[in-house]
Amino acid sequence: RPGGRVRGPEPAEGAMALLKLSLMAFSFVFWAAGLTMLIIGLWAKMSLGTYLALSASDCPSAPAILLATGVAVIIWGFLGCFGAATEHRGLLRAYSAFLAVVLAAGLAAGLSALLYRQTLAQGFQEGLRQALLAYGEDDGVADALDALQRALSCCGVESYRDWLASPWGREQNGSVPLSCCRARRGCRRSPPDARSLHPDGCFGRVSAFVGTNMFYVATAALGLALLQLVGIVLACLLAARVPAHLVKNTWNRLTVL
């Protein structure tokens, strides 16, 4: 009206716009987290696959879990952003359900990492013992064990003496693999010179790594899981407001006409 006061956007429309922007921002962060998990999964698959093959644990492969989760999060992060932008009620509800599944999976993964880290370490210890027994018969296991001993500067399960009692060590007259050697001089003697070998066993190194880092991994998993509560609330609120919002806009258009 000429000379009249210009009316601003109604509070309901402002709240709707804020919800849309908040959910779109969350979906972008969620998508970025999925991309990060995918990259870490690819790195772990290429860099840690040989080490993880030594574990006797029945737990699923961590790189495979990261890859599958990363792909799913990337897809649903995009769909969540699309659902918020288009105000698609069904898609928003499906997105909130997926976030609830991620929340439950994250809580389970974080708690499992805290409760079963000792079991994981014991599975790796048993896998190392089996690898020593199969050394010289299985080239894949031998390559993985050699790579582990070089990377962690370790020798045997508990110490280099594990090799002396192994079938391969007895065949070599009480020798150790070159991957155990800090220096070549004195390393291939029978028995070998302990000063030329890595002094620590591989299980101690792996156990220390698990004990030091598993707590941080579990904390990060729990934190990311709880973050999903924000997305669930935003998606549910937006889905609940969509029908009334669309009906109101349609009524306004008819009134103008």
Side-chain angles (χ1 to χ4, degrees), residues 4 15 30 40 44 56 99 133 136 146 167 196 206 238 256:
F30 192 55
I40 293 175
L99 291 178
L133 296 176
D146 284 332
S196 64
V206 172
L238 186 57
V256 171

Side-chain angles (χ1 to χ4, degrees), residues 115-214:
L115 297 176
Y116 296 105
R117 54 183 175 178
Q118 190 63 32
T119 303
L120 294 175
Q122 290 174 353
F124 202 88
Q125 183 183 35
E126 180 61 27
L128 285 175
R129 295 191 185 281
Q130 294 176 6
L132 257 71
L133 296 176
Y135 194 88
E137 299 178 358
D138 189 326
D139 291 339
V141 170
D143 291 341
L145 188 52
D146 284 332
L148 179 70
Q149 292 186 144
R150 291 191 183 97
L152 300 182
S153 299
C154 59
C155 183
V157 181
E158 303 294 342
S159 72
Y160 75 93
R161 293 183 178 86
D162 295 320
W163 282 108
L164 306 182
S166 68
W168 182 89
R170 289 194 296 267
E171 289 177 2
Q172 302 297 322
N173 297 320
S175 185
V176 298
L178 284 174
S179 57
C180 280
C181 301
R182 289 192 298 177
R184 289 183 179 273
R185 179 177 296 179
C187 183
R188 300 307 299 269
R189 290 180 187 171
S190 180
D193 184 356
R195 293 174 298 180
S196 64
L197 304 176
H198 298 307
D200 299 321
C202 293
F203 174 66
R205 291 294 181 91
V206 172
S207 181
F209 173 82
V210 171
T212 302
N213 295 281
M214 192 59 74

Side-chain angles (χ1 to χ4, degrees), residues 43-127:
W43 170 83
K45 185 70 174 177
M46 293 185 293
S47 302
L48 304 179
T50 54
Y51 304 151
L52 295 173
L54 295 174
S55 176
S57 175
D58 294 330
C59 297
S61 173
I65 294 175
L66 285 172
L67 288 172
T69 305
V71 171
V73 168
I74 287 175
I75 294 173
W76 277 99
F78 171 78
L79 291 178
C81 189
F82 178 78
T86 59
E87 300 179 10
H88 193 290
R89 186 180 184 186
L91 193 55
L92 289 172
R93 287 180 171 176
Y95 185 49
S96 64
F98 176 77
L99 291 178
V101 172
V102 173
L103 170 63
L107 290 174
L111 293 175
S112 297
L114 289 175
L115 297 176
Y116 296 105
R117 54 183 175 178
Q118 190 63 32
T119 303
L120 294 175
Q122 290 174 353
F124 202 88
Q125 183 183 35
E126 180 61 27

